Amino acid sequence: MSNENAPEDTRKQALSECLERYKRAASAHLYEFDIRTVDVVFGFQKVLHKRTRSLAKAMSIRAKLIRDLGAFISPSVRIEAISFFTDGELRYSREAGPLK
């Protein structure tokens, strides 16, 4: 009786091992974002650090930050520069133009 279930158990074990390898590969990269903001009224600067392992979330954050570069996120705070890192390596960096 146990011999009949042996091929099925082997397939289940192989499938679970394959899924585990996929999960490790899918979450192997670390995506980091540096967002430099400046308060135009008081003049202070702050750098925000965000990070994620999810590629989908990283793509979403990247698109939003590129779109919002140079925009005001509050009445006096503006996004001045953004940098994207993958596994600690700089992939993209951009600064906003001067205020007019």
Side-chain angles (χ1 to χ4, degrees), residues 19-32 51-56 58 85-89 91:
L19 285 173
E20 286 300 317
R21 283 195 309 265
Y22 172 75
K23 286 178 185 176
R24 279 194 304 269
S27 65
H29 298 291
L30 179 64
Y31 305 99
E32 298 175 82
R51 65 183 187 180
T52 184
R53 289 199 179 273
S54 168
L55 177 60
F85 300 88
T86 301
D87 297 330
E89 183 179 332
R91 294 293 183 174

Side-chain angles (χ1 to χ4, degrees), residues 1 11 20-21 25-26 28 30-31 43 48 53 62 64-65 68 72-75 77 79 82-83 90 92 94-96:
M1 178 114 176
R11 278 181 272 168
E20 286 300 317
R21 283 195 309 265
L30 179 64
Y31 305 99
L48 305 170
R53 289 199 179 273
R62 180 181 170 141
K64 180 168 177 32
L65 287 176
D68 291 345
F72 284 88
I73 55 175
S74 75
V77 178
I79 297 177
I82 52 176
S83 299
L90 180 65
Y92 181 85
R94 190 149 185 206
E95 291 189 18

Side-chain angles (χ1 to χ4, degrees), residues 35-41 44-46 48 68-82 95-100:
I35 308 158
R36 190 171 72 215
T37 60
V38 63
D39 189 314
V40 294
V41 175
F44 62 85
Q45 293 185 358
K46 184 174 183 179
L48 305 170
D68 291 345
L69 181 63
F72 284 88
I73 55 175
S74 75
S76 65
V77 178
R78 177 177 182 246
I79 297 177
E80 190 174 79
I82 52 176
E95 291 189 18
L99 260 178
K100 294 180 181 179

